[in-house]
Structures are given as structure tokens and as C-alpha cells.
Amino acid sequence: MYRFAVIVFPGSNCDHDCYHAVKHVLGEGCEFVWHEEGDLSGFDAVIVPGGFSYGDYLRTGSIASLSPVMKAVADFASRGGPVIGICNGFQILVEAGLLPGALIRNSSLRFVCKWVDIRVERNDTPFTCNLEVGDVLRIPVAHGEGIYFTTVAGL
Amino acid sequence: MKEYKVKVEVKLKPVVLDPQGKSVLSALRNLGFGEVEDARIGKLIELTIKDGDAGNVEERVTEMCRKLLSNPVIENFDVKVEEKNV
């Protein structure tokens, strides 16, 4: 059985969804890891869940990206461990510098909360290896800062 | 003992879209301020710092900007140090 870590920050609110998906849908081991922890040894995968960590203060994900646990997440990733950031978790990984780019406020002047279609571009990742390139997934999104900004090289 | 008031101005880089600024611009025009050409929104962060010398304070605050107060991918920052004797 694999062991998944779900990182929990003050303001995380999709942590229980992740726990449910791993534990009850996949049937794998799953534990919550509080953001003040500094040790991820013994885990096989790390999930940084969505929510509003630290109330989105300063910049979305910025304060959470400096939590003690993020040092452990960076070490885990540098050893080749799979890390996935969902929603605010993705924003945190970007702020932590583990992924390139940054997120800025929506140009639509709205909080966007809807279902979107996303296309699988690569299936050589641990997260998409059971999918075919070109598959379309229907995924819910909810964000105020949803414009991904990066250099052409970063893409 | 010396005390420093430090003002950190954080602004989006000119190339980065500023939807907040755009919406404020359109609201100002709706109010009749048609002369406004552009509006961009940044942040002002005021720090009170004790001890150290002015050069060192500026250096330390610049480091704070790089590590937390600004995101160098999308923002520029400006640091102004004001000295006060207390």
C-alpha cells in the first residue's frame, strides 16, 4: 500500500476531499501532515490541497510557501518524489519556486467558479499515465487569481 | 536607539496585466474623471525597524522583498528608508 501525505495549512479546505479520494476511492494509505511538520520520510507521494491558505493574504499561496513543511516538500521533490498541487496547492508550489511562473487576478473581474474541460497533453507523468493524450477531462475550478503568467521558456 | 520607518512599494511589472487597475480606471471614468489615462494598483507595506544602520536596513529589507514581500516573477519593488531618533 502506498502512503500519501496531504499537507494541511490554516485555511486549507479541500484537504478532506484529497484524503477521501486517496483512502476510499484509491484504497491507499493517507495521512494529514500539519504545515509545521518538517518530516515527510516514509511517504510515497505528497498532495498540496486547495483552499485559502492564510486567507490569501499578501499574495495567494505566498505565506504558506514559507511554512516549515514546504522545505520538506522541496526535499521530497528533489529526490524525485511525486508532488501534486491542486488549486491553491498549485499556487503554493508556484510561490515556493517548485514550479515556474506566477498567478495573477482574473481579467474577467470575477471570482470564477465553474466546470471546465481540460485536455491531456502528456501522459508520461505519474498523474496522467492511465490517460490517453487528447482525452478531455471535466474538472471544476474556483479561483480569483487564475491567470497563469510565465515566460515562453517557462511553458 | 535608532528607529527606521521603511516604506516598501510593490508594483506589478509594466508588462503584467492589472485587472484591478483596469476596473478602477473604468469606474473613475464612469464617475466623470475622463482625464484618467491609466490606473495600476500596487501595495504599500510599512515596516518599523529598530537598530542597525541605514545601509544595513535597506539591504535587509531588500532581502525581505526578494523572499516574501514581492514576487519577482510579476512584481517590482522600491524601498525607502526614513531614520528617526527615539
Side-chain angles (χ1 to χ4, degrees), chain A:
Chain A
M1 187 184 282
Y2 289 108
R3 282 182 74 213
F4 286 68
V6 173
I7 311 295
V8 184
F9 300 95
S12 294
N13 63 13
C14 296
D15 41 348
H16 285 262
D17 304 32
C18 295
Y19 184 89
H20 169 73
V22 172
K23 192 95 173 177
H24 305 122
V25 180
L26 297 178
E28 302 289 349
C30 194
E31 278 172 48
F32 291 119
V33 176
W34 185 235
H35 68 112
E36 285 171 349
E37 298 287 323
D39 185 17
L40 289 168
S41 55
F43 286 104
D44 302 299
V46 172
I47 303 177
V48 189
F52 289 85
S53 60
Y54 294 90
D56 274 356
Y57 292 170
L58 190 64
R59 291 180 310 279
T60 303
S62 61
I63 314 270
S65 74
L66 298 171
S67 294
V69 77
M70 289 309 296
K71 173 95 180 52
V73 172
D75 290 344
F76 182 83
S78 72
R79 291 195 306 267
V83 177
I84 188 168
I86 305 167
C87 197
N88 186 226
F90 177 79
Q91 294 167 325
I92 293 167
L93 294 181
V94 166
E95 275 284 341
L98 291 173
L99 293 171
L103 285 131
I104 58 174
R105 286 184 192 240
N106 296 339
S107 56
S108 61
L109 314 181
R110 301 160 196 231
F111 185 85
V112 174
C113 181
K114 63 179 182 184
W115 288 82
V116 296
D117 294 327
I118 60 170
R119 194 176 59 219
V120 176
E121 298 293 342
R122 285 175 55 183
N123 62 357
D124 58 345
T125 79
F127 306 106
T128 56
C129 58
N130 286 336
L131 300 163
E132 297 295 329
V133 170
D135 279 356
V136 174
L137 309 176
R138 197 136 177 81
I139 302 272
V141 295
H143 55 73
E145 298 187 345
I147 297 184
Y148 181 63
F149 181 93
T150 190
T151 58
V152 175
L155 283 176

Side-chain angles (χ1 to χ4, degrees), chain B residues 9-45:
Chain B
E9 206 176 80
V10 180
K11 290 191 282 194
L12 282 173
K13 289 180 180 174
V15 297
V16 178
L17 183 72
D18 179 12
Q20 275 195 114
K22 283 270 177 287
S23 66
V24 166
L25 173 67
S26 102
L28 284 173
R29 286 181 175 165
N30 289 343
L31 276 173
F33 297 106
E35 71 271 33
V36 183
E37 269 298 303
D38 197 15
R40 292 185 64 83
I41 294 183
K43 292 185 194 111
L44 175 67
I45 301 165

